[in-house]
Amino acid sequence: MLKLLRGSSTFHIRKILMFQPFRCPQLSINLSSKPATSTEFNSSNAQQAMFSDGNIVAKVCNSLSLPGWKSSPVLKSISPRLKPYHVAKIVDSHRNPDEALQFFYWVSKWHFYKHDIGSFMSMINRLVRDRVFVQVDHLRILMIKACGSEDEIMRVMEYFSSFSGREMEFSLYSYNTLLIQLGKFGVLSAAQIVYRQMLSQSVMPNLLTLNTMINILCKKGKVREAEIIFSRIIQYDMSPDVFTYTSLILGYCRESNLDKAFEIFYKMLKEGCDPNSVTYTNLINGLCKKGRLEEALNMIEEMVDKGIEPTVHTYTVPLNSFCVAGCVKEALKLLAKMKKICRPNVQTYTALISGMSGVGHLEVAVGLYNRMLKDGLLPNTVTYNALIRGFCTTGRFNDALKIFEWMEGRDQLPNSNTFNEIIMGFCSLGRTDKAMIFFDKMLKVGPPPTVVTYNILINGYLKQGIVDNATRLLELMVENRCEPDEWTYTELLSGFCKWGKTDIASTFFQEMPKRGIHPNQAHYCSLIDGYCKEGKLDDALSLFLRMEKDGCAPNVETYNAILGVISKGNYLQKTEVICNKMVEGGMLPNVVTYTTLIDGLCKNGNTDAAFKILERMEEKNSVPNLYTYSSLVYGLCLEGKAEAAERLIDEMERKGISPDHITFTSLIDGFVSLGRLNKGFLLLRRMFMCGCTPNYRTYSVLLKGLQKEFQSLEEKVLTNNEMVSSCSENDKSISFEMFSDLLARMLENGCEPTVQTYETLAAGLCQEGRSDEANQLVKDMKERGFCATKEIYNSLLIAHCKNLNVDAALKVFELRTAECHEQHLYIHIALICVLCRTNRLEEAKSLFEAMLEEQWSPDEIVWSLFIDRLLKDGKVDFCMQLLHVMESRNRNPTLQTCMMLAREVAKVNESRVPEKHQLA
């Protein structure tokens, strides 16, 4: 990969092709700099020799041999340069173990030095070798306390297990220290092994031992096992203390078993054991978790009344819980009370900011942030992440980016969560191209992408229907040794099924067990739903049966999906069987179930049966929703009962259900089909008045009515003139006349066209490939005093590219750029491809070079432009030219992407080889 970044990308792609299959070699990095000049060497040679590792060790050992070595000037001058590995060599090589031990303790007192696990091991090894066991247990305890991570404590345990003999047996103090550290890092399994070993060696546990084990188990939710240890306290005739009871309360609260937690609390009081602030905090947190906020507040008051001062931790969870519940005033009141007792810290403000942002009270969150600064508290990365999340959620994306850039420019470096928030924000806006820029930064600079990062991006691509890039991300994920999880496959299955690619989704489903992931209910439901939407009833039912055999019970959504495809196929008997099976499984039909059945019946022209289902639905107290009524409106209009459908919409509104564009469009279509176009326009006005925005389908229905009206008038004129009808008019001019007529009739009926109207119409025309009419529409729009939006420009540009109208596309691109509209990656790609197709390669190359200045992700450029577009058009040589341009700009894709490109180039080259030259 390093070679790829330095050398020719084109060369490496060709090399990969020549030697496939190949294995990526382990790369070694030479960290040595250029050789020093003789002058530089002479000036620093003496100093380097004096403070070389060997010289330091030798000088210290010589100093230790002298009386009064602690005040030795040589030792004092060398000591600031001492590292743990020096100390390890000194204690191992010095002739006197007692002096080595004294030096070991002496050096640890200096503020600039700290022993590591290796130096402790060397000292203990030396004492054991010389059979000086007196100090071993004390050193062992210090070594355990020095562990700063789970990896270190496990390494120490492995080291201890290598010793045998009574001299090396642990004391009770050593065992307790080890258990406390294992509890600190949450290593339950290792703590249980240590505890059993302790009992097997007849070391009598004390209350600290048992309390530590109870606490570790309760933190991990193993309350039943903690109760067994608790029984040992009684068995050994010890008295449980506040720590014992508080740990058990914590365990039950984490299990959401508040009844048992309060039972322990009252038992504690009965035994005369006074609770402390941690006891109350655990109970308060448990109440908040259950949403019992008033009771939590009462417990805080009870604490104060009993003279137990709440800590900052006591308030943090209730404050956040009030925010999450949307009780902003209550949260701020509690904060004011808190300030009278204890000072809020960074975590308190961060919890508040996160909670307020999460429920949309961003201005309050910003105010709390400013208050935090005034209180002299320095926000941490979690604080900034909460603000970034809030800004992204509320659409204030530029503010989120400002915070991110501010963090990057100072010591408050963004972590993976910060990047994930920004990436998620871009994906929510449909801008995966921008999200990939940040992903590229994570790959090259760090922090490395997490499984969450990949999942967000995969979801972002799938929402846009860019399924190939989602698959590539999965490949990149695996290559970077980031294992896909259940959520990865949930996104892949639902995404591929959404875009009608159930065959690929099925492949992912079969791949899951190979990765050690057992398909869950969500995975089965996604694939079953996908099969149902494609009408693959047999596949859906087969998977449904497999789901039950696999011990994964289907849920209501699964049944609804199957009922949907059966009811649309008008298989009424099968529908009844599935409904009965659903009830047998203990699941009652919900509003979606009834609506699914109603929708199927309506689409089959059986609204009478659909209304009977509606009656049954209401009898079961299942309230019809918007989709229920929309299905009925559609069914009635399909049967020519538009008046009845309109009465149904009136009923909807009386019940407080607002019709959407689908409901209104069905009703307008119903009246237009009956030849009542004026009524259709009146309904459009009603639609506008309800704040419901028409879509292109709505306008198409009205255009269909106008076309029929025009043809009817034309036929009357021709009949009166006794002429034979012939369509001599140009279809396109007639089509645009209809659009002009539509806008005029809208104005007559009080539906003044807006920018959004033109945007919707232009997008619809462009999707139909009618870019000329769309151009005329935009011209009309500008004559009416409206400005074209970036969405209109995008639609026009893509339509011109599809129609190979290169000059028109470039003109739109120039207009878009001149009006300072931000460019999308796919716009550049569309233009480059149409320039290539029309053999305007120099212009394509120039545009590509300009595009690279926008800092897009090189991986996405290769995926979307090279692999998906140019290679499919057979432009291999031009791909290599552009790859060379990327390399010259230091915009190199990852090695995995180069391998993907190499495979695709090989396929294209293979297809070019004449059949007689291909290998058999």
Side-chain angles (χ1 to χ4, degrees):
M1 185 59 195
L2 291 175
K3 184 71 176 173
L4 178 67
L5 294 176
R6 295 173 190 149
S8 167
S9 301
T10 312
F11 170 77
H12 281 276
I13 293 292
R14 297 191 192 280
K15 190 174 179 182
I16 288 169
L17 289 170
M18 286 170 65
F19 296 102
Q20 283 190 333
F22 82 107
R23 291 182 180 177
C24 177
Q26 292 292 322
L27 299 175
S28 59
I29 306 173
N30 186 358
L31 297 177
S32 62
S33 60
K34 64 179 182 178
T37 64
S38 58
T39 307
E40 288 171 337
F41 180 80
N42 291 332
S43 64
S44 61
N45 188 33
Q47 189 177 2
Q48 288 176 357
M50 180 180 176
F51 293 111
S52 66
D53 289 345
N55 205 18
I56 286 174
V57 172
K59 282 183 176 292
V60 171
C61 287
N62 289 337
S63 297
L64 293 178
S65 303
L66 302 172
W69 57 264
K70 291 180 183 178
S71 57
S72 166
V74 174
L75 197 57
K76 284 182 179 179
S77 66
I78 292 175
S79 57
R81 296 179 178 273
L82 285 172
K83 304 295 178 192
Y85 67 88
H86 293 136
V87 173
K89 288 181 180 178
I90 290 162
V91 298
D92 187 56
S93 61
H94 189 60
R95 58 184 176 77
N96 189 324
D98 291 330
E99 285 179 355
L101 183 60
Q102 286 180 49
F103 168 73
F104 187 85
Y105 286 135
W106 175 80
V107 76
S108 66
K109 293 175 183 177
W110 290 93
H111 69 277
F112 49 75
Y113 178 83
K114 185 179 179 181
H115 287 304
D116 66 5
I117 302 304
S119 59
F120 273 112
M121 286 180 181
S122 293
M123 190 69 251
I124 292 172
N125 287 342
R126 176 64 193 274
L127 294 175
V128 171
R129 188 179 72 203
D130 292 341
R131 306 195 63 76
V132 183
F133 296 110
V134 179
Q135 290 289 328
V136 168
D137 195 53
H138 178 61
L139 279 171
R140 183 162 48 199
I141 290 165
L142 292 176
M143 183 181 182
I144 293 166
K145 288 180 177 179
C147 292
S149 67
E150 181 184 335
D151 287 342
E152 286 189 353
I153 193 69
M154 296 309 293
R155 182 183 165 201
V156 165
M157 281 189 66
E158 187 179 347
Y159 170 70
F160 291 152
S161 67
S162 65
F163 289 100
S164 60
R166 293 188 60 80
E167 297 87 351
M168 289 299 294
E169 286 181 355
F170 273 52
S171 64
L172 175 61
Y173 189 12
S174 295
Y175 274 120
N176 284 346
T177 305
L178 184 55
L179 286 172
I180 289 167
Q181 283 292 80
L182 289 168
K184 177 182 173 182
F185 300 117
V187 194
L188 173 60
S189 56
Q192 289 173 314
I193 291 168
V194 170
Y195 178 68
R196 286 194 291 268
Q197 182 184 326
M198 179 182 178
L199 297 178
S200 70
Q201 292 185 357
S202 302
V203 177
M204 182 69 176
N206 61 9
L207 185 60
L208 175 60
T209 317
L210 301 174
N211 276 350
T212 303
M213 284 303 300
I214 288 170
N215 187 257
I216 296 171
L217 288 163
C218 287
K219 280 181 178 177
K220 292 291 183 180
K222 307 277 186 181
V223 193
R224 303 291 168 269
E225 293 177 45
E227 284 177 336
I228 296 169
I229 305 291
F230 181 78
S231 67
R232 293 278 177 96
I233 294 177
I234 310 302
Q235 181 185 334
Y236 292 147
D237 202 24
M238 300 175 190
S239 297
D241 63 5
V242 62
F243 189 87
T244 321
Y245 289 117
T246 299
S247 295
L248 287 169
I249 287 168
L250 172 68
Y252 283 117
C253 285
R254 290 199 172 176
E255 270 193 348
S256 296
N257 189 347
L258 286 183
D259 292 339
K260 192 68 179 174
F262 275 99
E263 185 184 313
I264 296 291
F265 178 69
Y266 295 130
K267 181 180 180 180
M268 179 182 184
L269 296 174
K270 188 178 178 182
E271 295 292 331
C273 182
D274 294 328
N276 59 19
S277 64
V278 181
T279 317
Y280 274 100
T281 299
N282 287 341
L283 286 166
I284 289 163
N285 291 350
L287 288 166
C288 290
K289 185 180 174 184
K290 282 282 192 179
R292 293 158 62 176
L293 300 180
E294 285 299 321
E295 292 175 70
L297 288 181
N298 291 338
M299 287 218 77
I300 294 175
E301 295 296 330
E302 184 182 315
M303 281 180 75
V304 176
D305 292 343
K306 288 186 176 181
I308 302 168
E309 193 168 283
T311 67
V312 67
H313 303 293
T314 311
Y315 288 100
T316 300
V317 172
L319 284 168
N320 188 57
S321 299
F322 273 117
C323 293
V324 170
C327 306
V328 178
K329 289 181 181 178
E330 289 80 354
L332 295 175
K333 281 180 185 177
L334 185 59
L335 179 65
K337 285 183 181 180
M338 175 188 180
K339 285 183 174 180
K340 293 176 183 177
I341 296 170
C342 60
R343 186 170 178 261
N345 62 11
V346 175
Q347 286 72 33
T348 313
Y349 276 110
T350 299
L352 276 166
I353 289 166
S354 178
M356 294 292 182
S357 300
V359 292
H361 293 285
L362 192 58
E363 295 307 322
V364 180
V366 173
L368 286 165
Y369 170 77
N370 292 328
R371 169 55 58 190
M372 182 180 180
L373 296 177
K374 286 179 183 177
D375 287 351
L377 295 170
L378 185 67
N380 58 25
T381 303
V382 182
T383 318
Y384 290 118
N385 287 353
L387 282 171
I388 287 171
R389 187 184 312 116
F391 283 126
C392 288
T393 305
T394 53
R396 291 172 59 180
F397 208 69
N398 288 334
D399 291 323
L401 284 173
K402 283 177 187 175
I403 294 176
F404 184 88
E405 288 162 5
W406 187 92
M407 290 175 74
E408 277 196 313
R410 288 161 176 80
D411 292 335
Q412 201 72 52
L413 292 176
N415 60 17
S416 57
N417 290 333
T418 321
F419 275 94
N420 290 345
E421 294 295 346
I422 293 289
I423 288 169
M424 184 180 285
F426 274 123
C427 287
S428 68
L429 296 173
R431 294 300 306 270
T432 46
D433 51 352
K434 287 286 185 184
M436 282 295 290
I437 296 168
F438 286 83
F439 176 72
D440 187 56
K441 189 180 289 188
M442 291 179 83
L443 287 176
K444 290 178 179 173
V445 182
T450 64
V451 64
V452 176
T453 318
Y454 286 104
N455 288 348
I456 292 168
L457 284 164
I458 286 170
N459 176 259
Y461 276 125
L462 291 171
K463 276 184 177 177
Q464 292 180 276
I466 310 173
V467 294
D468 288 338
N469 282 3
T471 309
R472 287 167 188 141
L473 268 172
L474 180 67
E475 187 176 332
L476 199 64
M477 184 179 186
V478 174
E479 288 289 336
N480 287 335
R481 297 181 181 178
C482 182
E483 282 299 314
D485 61 6
E486 287 186 357
W487 188 248
T488 315
Y489 282 98
T490 301
E491 296 290 356
L492 288 166
L493 290 170
S494 61
F496 274 85
C497 287
K498 175 185 174 182
W499 297 102
K501 296 182 180 292
T502 51
D503 290 343
I504 300 174
S506 178
T507 304
F508 285 130
F509 186 82
Q510 292 163 16
E511 180 185 293
M512 289 173 67
K514 297 173 187 175
R515 294 197 178 278
I517 301 171
H518 188 73
N520 61 26
Q521 193 180 68
H523 301 130
Y524 274 106
C525 289
S526 292
L527 193 51
I528 288 170
D529 186 55
Y531 283 138
C532 289
K533 282 175 180 172
E534 287 189 29
K536 297 177 178 178
L537 182 58
D538 291 339
D539 290 331
L541 289 172
S542 174
L543 194 62
F544 179 79
L545 295 172
R546 178 180 161 186
M547 181 180 186
E548 290 186 299
K549 288 177 184 176
D550 207 16
C552 193
N555 58 12
V556 177
E557 286 72 26
T558 317
Y559 282 105
N560 289 345
I562 290 174
L563 284 170
V565 70
I566 291 173
S567 61
K568 282 170 189 169
N570 211 14
Y571 303 117
L572 295 179
Q573 288 184 335
K574 285 188 178 181
T575 301
E576 194 173 342
V577 170
I578 294 295
C579 285
N580 291 337
K581 191 173 179 63
M582 182 179 175
V583 174
E584 286 168 13
M587 280 164 281
L588 294 174
N590 60 15
V591 62
V592 180
T593 316
Y594 290 116
T595 301
T596 301
L597 294 170
I598 287 169
D599 186 59
L601 289 166
C602 286
K603 283 177 178 173
N604 280 292
N606 196 348
T607 53
D608 291 338
F611 275 100
K612 286 178 183 176
I613 297 285
L614 180 67
E615 289 172 14
R616 193 188 311 169
M617 180 180 183
E618 290 172 332
E619 285 169 9
K620 298 288 183 182
N621 296 319
S622 183
V623 182
N625 61 18
L626 169 64
Y627 304 104
T628 318
Y629 282 108
S630 291
S631 297
L632 289 164
V633 167
Y634 175 84
L636 288 168
C637 289
L638 195 67
E639 294 177 7
K641 301 173 182 176
E643 296 281 359
E646 188 175 16
R647 288 194 293 272
L648 200 59
I649 283 188
D650 295 336
E651 183 184 323
M652 282 175 69
E653 291 182 331
R654 285 195 299 272
K655 290 182 177 180
I657 302 170
S658 299
D660 66 355
H661 66 277
I662 296 171
T663 324
F664 273 115
T665 301
S666 295
L667 188 58
I668 291 169
D669 194 20
F671 279 105
V672 168
S673 296
L674 295 173
R676 298 177 61 183
L677 182 59
N678 288 336
K679 179 67 176 179
F681 277 104
L682 290 174
L683 285 169
L684 182 69
R685 184 174 69 183
R686 181 177 175 180
M687 190 176 180
F688 270 101
M689 290 173 69
C690 290
C692 184
T693 306
N695 62 5
Y696 188 65
R697 162 74 181 144
T698 316
Y699 292 123
S700 296
V701 167
L702 291 166
L703 284 165
K704 179 183 73 175
L706 287 168
Q707 185 79 1
K708 283 174 68 177
E709 189 178 76
F710 178 81
Q711 287 173 351
S712 178
L713 288 169
E714 190 181 47
E715 285 171 9
K716 284 180 182 178
V717 170
L718 291 171
T719 303
N720 290 338
N721 293 325
E722 296 181 351
M723 292 174 65
V724 180
S725 173
S726 63
C727 189
S728 60
E729 292 287 335
N730 184 284
D731 284 342
K732 289 188 177 180
S733 63
I734 292 174
S735 295
F736 187 71
E737 282 176 19
M738 293 301 105
F739 278 92
S740 298
D741 198 13
L742 171 69
L743 296 169
R745 292 283 281 272
M746 283 176 65
L747 200 58
E748 288 171 15
N749 285 276
C751 308
E752 188 170 348
T754 63
V755 172
Q756 197 169 21
T757 308
Y758 283 101
E759 202 172 271
T760 304
L761 290 170
L765 284 167
C766 288
Q767 283 175 4
E768 292 176 355
R770 297 160 66 184
S771 55
D772 290 337
E773 288 103 318
N775 264 335
Q776 286 179 280
L777 195 67
V778 173
K779 185 180 177 183
D780 181 76
M781 174 187 183
K782 289 180 177 179
E783 287 172 359
R784 290 173 186 258
F786 294 112
C787 293
T789 63
K790 63 179 180 182
E791 285 76 16
I792 290 177
Y793 282 133
N794 289 349
S795 298
L796 276 172
L797 197 147
I798 296 299
H800 286 317
C801 288
K802 285 181 179 176
N803 294 334
L804 299 183
N805 296 331
V806 184
D807 292 326
L810 288 171
K811 187 177 179 182
V812 173
F813 184 77
E814 288 167 9
L815 280 170
R816 197 182 188 286
T817 306
E819 293 182 19
C820 300
H821 289 303
E822 188 182 23
Q823 300 290 6
H824 289 243
L825 178 62
Y826 75 86
I827 294 292
H828 287 92
I829 289 173
L831 274 172
I832 290 167
C833 289
V834 76
L835 286 166
C836 287
R837 283 181 185 175
T838 52
N839 290 317
R840 294 165 69 165
L841 298 182
E842 283 304 314
E843 289 174 84
K845 189 176 177 182
S846 297
L847 185 59
F848 182 77
E849 288 171 347
M851 183 185 86
L852 292 180
E853 294 174 11
E854 298 286 334
Q855 296 299 309
W856 304 109
S857 164
D859 284 319
E860 191 171 31
I861 291 171
V862 173
W863 297 345
S864 304
L865 176 58
F866 293 6
I867 298 175
D868 287 344
R869 305 293 286 274
L870 296 179
L871 287 183
K872 286 183 179 177
D873 288 343
K875 305 285 186 182
V876 178
D877 294 335
F878 192 61
C879 266
M880 291 304 170
Q881 284 183 44
L882 297 188
L883 195 63
H884 183 71
V885 171
M886 286 181 74
E887 180 208 26
S888 67
R889 300 292 182 89
N890 199 27
R891 302 297 311 283
N892 301 285
T894 58
L895 181 60
Q896 292 89 350
T897 292
C898 285
M899 291 169 67
M900 292 179 202
L901 180 58
R903 286 197 295 269
E904 296 303 319
V905 170
K907 288 177 188 175
V908 175
N909 285 339
E910 188 178 324
S911 66
R912 283 175 166 183
V913 177
E915 193 173 325
K916 63 180 180 180
H917 295 304
Q918 290 184 16
L919 293 174

